[in-house]
Amino acid sequence: MTEWLGPEEWAAVALSLKVAFWATLGALIPGVFVAYTLARWQFYGKQLLNVFVHLPLVLPPVATGYLLLVTFGTQGALGAALKEVGIVFAFRWTGAALAAAVMAFPLLVRSIRLSIEAVDPKLEQAAATLGASRFWVFITVTLPLILPGILAGMVLAFAKAMGEFGATITFVSNIPGQTRTVPSAIYAFLQVPGGETAAIRLVIVAIVVAMGALILSEVLARRIARKVGQA
């Protein structure tokens, strides 16, 4: 691939993989917690939380990126405070990961929530009657049963993070070698004469990575489901 792609194209691919990995990893634990909260808990404001979680799916990505810039930019409400301790997101690859995580979060939560709702609550109640805490019930009963859903959610989040463009370019711009991911690189190549060939190569890479991730997810999900069924 390093011979087929030029240095700038390879840098975009490597950065996209890095951004997608950290975006998915960073969203995982909050995603599981929010999904469990929406699936199992009843509280005032639950529907508002549900709407807030899914808001990035319906908002224009550029609007989401602008909100991130206003909040986490160096002059933003949180960004200024974070800058004081050496944490900067705006116009950095970490900001691209943050934007990708925000955009992928609803898909992750939805997949995990559906898996949790498919688990019979009586199984959890049975473990609780034996004296297990809620956390221990989740770890020993719920988590093994929802692993296929978590895996599916992670793959969806990874694929979404790989393809994120609008929020990313608004929040961190399109800086070669720093914030230029595959979608941003495709856009940049299409703006210059003769850049179509490079853009096509990156489109092919994006398709191959996405298809590979989906196939791997399907294989792993089936294996996990088979092991859970045999347990």
Side-chain angles (χ1 to χ4, degrees):
M1 183 179 291
T2 55
E3 296 178 357
W4 183 53
L5 296 176
E8 188 176 353
E9 299 160 50
W10 175 245
V13 172
L15 182 61
S16 284
L17 292 172
K18 180 181 179 180
V19 165
F21 172 80
W22 285 109
T24 304
L25 190 63
L28 180 58
I29 293 179
V32 172
F33 177 75
V34 171
Y36 186 84
T37 299
L38 292 174
R40 287 289 188 260
W41 295 356
Q42 297 296 328
F43 56 92
Y44 181 77
K46 178 179 178 178
Q47 291 304 317
L48 183 61
L49 174 61
N50 187 50
V51 169
F52 183 76
V53 167
H54 291 86
L55 198 58
L57 289 180
V58 294
L59 272 180
V62 173
T64 302
Y66 177 72
L67 291 174
L68 287 172
L69 185 61
V70 170
T71 305
F72 291 99
T74 53
Q75 304 298 321
L78 294 178
L82 291 173
K83 185 180 178 181
E84 294 296 326
V85 295
I87 300 176
V88 178
F89 287 106
F91 309 109
R92 305 281 180 88
W93 77 266
T94 50
L98 176 61
V102 169
M103 297 300 295
F105 193 71
L107 299 177
L108 180 68
V109 170
R110 183 169 181 80
S111 179
I112 299 174
R113 178 183 179 180
L114 290 175
S115 296
I116 295 174
E117 290 176 342
V119 175
D120 189 350
K122 293 180 180 179
L123 297 175
E124 298 170 325
Q125 293 169 4
T129 58
L130 297 175
S133 65
R134 177 174 291 181
F135 176 77
W136 190 244
V137 169
F138 176 80
I139 293 297
T140 58
V141 178
T142 311
L143 185 59
L145 295 175
I146 66 172
L147 278 179
I150 292 177
L151 180 61
M154 290 179 66
V155 171
L156 287 175
F158 184 88
K160 176 63 175 176
M162 277 287 294
E164 173 50 38
F165 174 70
T168 301
I169 200 170
T170 305
F171 184 35
V172 298
S173 189
N174 188 6
I175 306 171
Q178 297 184 43
T179 64
R180 179 169 289 180
T181 58
V182 167
S184 300
I186 293 173
Y187 174 80
F189 282 128
L190 291 176
Q191 305 307 306
V192 298
E196 292 84 359
T197 302
I200 290 173
R201 288 198 294 263
L202 288 177
V203 168
I204 293 173
V205 169
I207 293 173
V208 169
V209 171
M211 290 183 63
L214 290 173
I215 292 172
L216 177 62
S217 169
E218 185 67 19
V219 171
L220 293 177
R222 288 184 178 183
R223 289 184 178 180
I224 293 173
R226 193 180 302 119
K227 289 181 179 180
V228 171
Q230 294 173 351

